[in-house]
Amino acid sequence: ALGERLDRERHEFLWRNRQYDVVAEESARGYDRAPTGPDAVENAYWAVQGFSRAGRFAEAVKYQLRGMADHGKSGRFSGTEERLALLYMGAAKYPEARRAYQAWSDASASARRSKDVRFSLAYTAYRAGDLATAELELEELVAGGGSIGDGARFYLGKVQERLKKWAESKTTF
């Protein structure tokens, strides 16, 4: 009992003092040792949180995917498509991020309606090099106006420049 309490306090101490790498590595080791054990869900979750806070997004993606596959029904990993998409973005894996955003949009009515999600879909198409898709999606967002439309206008201009649509890009910018 005392050992468990000290482990818990160590975890909280490290987290509060922004020792994210240490929390991530200890949690990842715990998960790798016992992926079906009683602490597996928490270990996977804290590995994801620690690696992402430490800027080690590729490693965070690994544990997010494992957590979703092995413990998808738990509260820590059910409905976490958005987290996966954001981790892929951090890891600069834009095609995978687009697929994750699309999966989230397919699974959630609020995500489908969200201009932020639609912008993220368009942005990941742009970053992945799917310029034709990005152009179509960004044009829709620009037409919708607002702050999302303003951000979309910037990237639409960049897409048009990459497509060598010089006249369109001048009017867009």
Side-chain angles (χ1 to χ4, degrees):
L2 179 61
E4 289 175 11
R5 179 175 170 217
L6 291 175
D7 284 345
R8 195 170 47 254
E9 287 178 7
R10 174 178 164 70
H11 171 85
E12 289 174 17
F13 174 82
L14 291 169
W15 188 259
R16 288 183 181 165
N17 287 285
R18 296 185 173 98
Q19 299 296 311
Y20 304 126
D21 282 312
V22 177
V23 170
E25 289 166 5
E26 287 180 359
S27 298
R29 267 194 305 279
Y31 186 78
D32 291 339
R33 256 193 320 270
T36 58
D39 295 328
V41 173
E42 287 300 303
N43 282 332
Y45 175 79
W46 287 108
V48 170
Q49 295 301 311
F51 283 133
S52 66
R53 290 275 178 105
R56 296 166 60 183
F57 295 105
E59 291 163 287
V61 164
K62 173 185 168 186
Y63 287 95
Q64 176 67 27
L65 289 171
R66 289 180 69 186
M68 289 171 77
D70 298 344
H71 312 286
K73 294 193 188 314
S74 76
R76 294 288 199 190
F77 288 100
S78 67
T80 57
E81 292 87 0
E82 178 185 18
R83 184 191 311 152
L84 179 61
L86 292 169
L87 292 171
Y88 275 133
M89 291 276 281
K93 295 183 177 188
Y94 299 108
E96 293 89 345
R98 182 171 173 80
R99 285 192 292 275
Y101 274 117
Q102 192 62 56
W104 182 35
S105 182
D106 292 345
S108 166
S110 62
R112 262 190 307 282
R113 290 188 304 269
S114 170
K115 282 187 175 183
D116 289 330
V117 173
R118 290 183 18 230
F119 178 82
S120 295
L121 281 163
Y123 177 77
T124 54
Y126 163 71
R127 292 302 303 255
D130 185 356
L131 300 179
T133 300
E135 185 177 33
L136 289 172
E137 293 176 356
L138 289 166
E139 284 172 347
E140 288 177 17
L141 290 166
V142 168
S147 61
I148 295 290
D150 292 341
R153 180 180 308 282
F154 174 77
Y155 285 103
L156 177 59
K158 292 179 84 55
V159 166
Q160 290 167 335
E161 282 182 341
R162 288 182 63 190
L163 292 171
K164 299 184 178 143
K165 295 183 177 182
W166 308 117
E168 291 95 334
S169 72
K170 282 186 179 184
T171 59
T172 299
F173 281 125

